[in-house]
Amino acid sequence: MSFSLSPAMWLLLAVVLVQLYYAAYYFLPFAHRPPEPATGPDDEPVSVLVCAHNELENLRRLLPLILQQDYPAGFELVLIDDRSDDDTYLYVQQLTQYYPHVRLVSVARTPDGLSPKKYALTLGIKSARYERLLFTDADCIPATNQWIRYMQRGFNRPADMVLGYSAYAEEPGFLNKLIRFETLLTGAQYLSFAWRGQPYMGVGRNLAYTQPVFYQTKGFASHIRSLSGDDDLLVQDAVQQQARVAVAAEPGAHTLSEPAHTWGEWWRQKRRHLSAGRQYRLADRIRIGTFIGANLLYYCMAIGLLFSRPDWVPLATVCLVRTGAILAVYYQLGRRLEERLPVAWLPFLDAVYFFYYLALGISLFLYRTLRWK
């Protein structure tokens, strides 16, 4: 009995094998790894930094939750008021009267040509009293009152930089499911790659590093004029300086963010985030690009083969194996990161996400202008 496949079917099988390699080497081992041991005492104080631009309502929700954190070694809260024209200044000033470890850094204007957020963060970091720095955004909240403790334990592994996970709140609607799926898949990539010794990015909504690392990389100097990259490009520079990177993926170390509520808002947000990818190291671009490209090529080829009178048995077999594999992998990753998406939605979300990613890439290539608030 002869067995033969068309060249297109062989290529389809090859791209599925590439996806299974990423699942077997990166995603599943990360999903199944036990929680990191709580080694070392929590005896180092930390500076928690929040940069805000007209975020008063978000700050009213976030800051009390930070002030309630259970961290015996002590911490200060540095709020960086970046050119706000609401009542952020008055609100934080009131907090400083009751909480001596709350400090306010005000930014009146940004020098021409510089990224406003990076300039504001630089001023905040320079004013921080402690060597360890922990960052989140104004529209986030810690998942638990142990957030600082879990993130700081990452330094005891030992490490100079700790990558955390930031999920998005669950809301009704397909857009919210897609945002949460994208966050899960992105988190799975940067956390599992870092766990394998190949860190390439973090998210500013949940990121920690030391002041020496910041100064060794000369801060944001290499990308101070780029609007994006205060998190991932800093990780890139830190890795170049041989910084040790740890992962804090325990549920207690998570933060929770407000998701975009419209497609346009999410589109602009993702364009801004993806624009920094052009400045990644070549090895990272190849590693990420191979994963994204294999998934995109799979969908394009599978759709093309459907309209070319294919041999249905091998086509159906490859597609079913691939679908079953991603269902299992994404389900395990969702359990690991406590991102519970409906299992029945996962294949559809996967397809929509990769075509959306393709559209974003084309958009960035054709229209490179970005705006910051």
Side-chain angles (χ1 to χ4, degrees), residues 21-60:
Y21 163 76
Y22 277 82
Y25 184 74
Y26 291 108
F27 300 150
L28 282 177
F30 170 73
H32 291 152
R33 72 173 190 151
E36 294 286 351
T39 56
D42 301 320
D43 58 359
E44 289 287 336
V46 58
S47 296
V48 180
L49 292 91
V50 179
C51 186
H53 173 75
N54 290 333
E55 300 267 13
L56 178 60
E57 293 308 311
N58 287 328
L59 292 174
R60 291 185 188 277

Side-chain angles (χ1 to χ4, degrees), residues 189 193 200 280 284-293 357:
Q189 290 176 76
F193 288 9
Y200 71 94
Y280 286 7
D284 294 325
R285 295 203 304 270
I286 291 174
R287 191 176 301 113
I288 302 162
T290 299
F291 174 71
I292 298 295
Y357 196 100

Side-chain angles (χ1 to χ4, degrees), residues 47-327:
S47 296
V48 180
L49 292 91
V50 179
C51 186
H53 173 75
N54 290 333
E55 300 267 13
L56 178 60
E57 293 308 311
N58 287 328
L59 292 174
R60 291 185 188 277
R61 183 179 64 151
L62 167 65
L63 299 190
L65 295 176
I66 293 181
L67 294 172
Q68 295 167 18
Q69 289 289 300
D70 176 22
Y71 190 66
F75 65 93
E76 65 167 351
L77 171 58
V78 181
L79 190 285
I80 309 158
D81 179 11
D82 180 20
R83 303 164 294 122
S84 298
D85 53 21
D86 56 11
D87 289 332
T88 293
Y89 178 85
L90 294 176
Y91 173 63
V92 180
Q93 280 287 68
Q94 290 175 345
L95 287 180
T96 61
Q97 297 176 21
Y98 297 97
Y99 300 94
H101 56 304
V102 175
R103 299 174 52 224
L104 176 65
V105 175
S106 295
V107 181
R109 62 176 298 273
T110 303
D112 293 341
L114 302 188
S115 163
K117 186 176 183 181
K118 292 174 186 176
Y119 177 74
L121 282 173
T122 299
L123 296 184
I125 291 169
K126 288 183 175 180
S127 72
R129 292 172 177 156
Y130 303 125
E131 182 175 291
R132 293 182 178 181
L133 310 171
L134 176 58
F135 298 83
T136 191
D137 286 347
D139 61 351
C140 294
I141 58 172
T144 69
N145 71 342
Q146 303 295 307
W147 170 60
I148 295 179
R149 187 191 297 265
Y150 275 103
M151 288 296 291
Q152 295 314 295
R153 283 177 181 171
F155 288 112
N156 296 329
R157 287 172 194 168
D160 308 298
M161 178 172 280
V162 182
L163 311 182
Y165 180 71
S166 183
Y168 281 105
E170 182 177 354
E171 296 179 356
F174 176 72
L175 175 61
N176 180 261
K177 290 182 178 64
L178 184 60
I179 290 173
R180 288 162 51 217
F181 175 81
E182 184 272 334
T183 304
L184 172 65
L185 191 53
T186 301
Q189 290 176 76
Y190 76 79
L191 293 173
S192 66
F193 288 9
W195 183 59
R196 283 294 191 185
Q198 300 163 344
Y200 71 94
M201 68 162 279
V203 292
R205 305 188 302 275
N206 198 5
L207 178 66
Y209 49 84
T210 63
Q211 286 202 27
V213 162
F214 182 77
Y215 292 121
Q216 286 167 14
T217 62
K218 299 182 181 179
F220 305 115
S222 68
H223 47 92
I224 191 65
R225 297 184 183 277
S226 173
L227 289 177
S228 59
D230 58 277
D231 41 22
D232 51 353
L233 295 184
L234 184 71
V235 173
Q236 289 276 314
D237 289 345
V239 171
Q240 290 280 65
Q241 296 295 323
Q242 308 301 314
R244 299 165 298 178
V245 179
V247 170
E250 294 71 33
H254 294 180
T255 61
L256 190 65
S257 303
E258 284 292 319
H261 295 97
T262 66
W263 287 91
E265 182 183 352
W266 191 51
W267 176 270
R268 291 187 293 272
Q269 183 184 88
K270 294 311 300 176
R271 269 178 51 88
R272 191 168 66 242
H273 292 168
L274 288 177
S275 66
R278 293 190 292 262
Q279 301 180 59
Y280 286 7
R281 293 169 298 169
L282 178 61
D284 294 325
R285 295 203 304 270
I286 291 174
R287 191 176 301 113
I288 302 162
T290 299
F291 174 71
I292 298 295
N295 281 276
L296 272 173
L297 190 56
Y298 163 79
Y299 281 113
C300 292
M301 292 200 62
I303 292 172
L305 284 169
L306 285 174
F307 295 97
S308 62
R309 293 188 298 176
D311 187 338
W312 290 101
V313 173
L315 177 60
T317 302
V318 171
C319 291
L320 285 173
V321 168
R322 191 264 181 189
T323 301
I326 67 160
L327 277 174

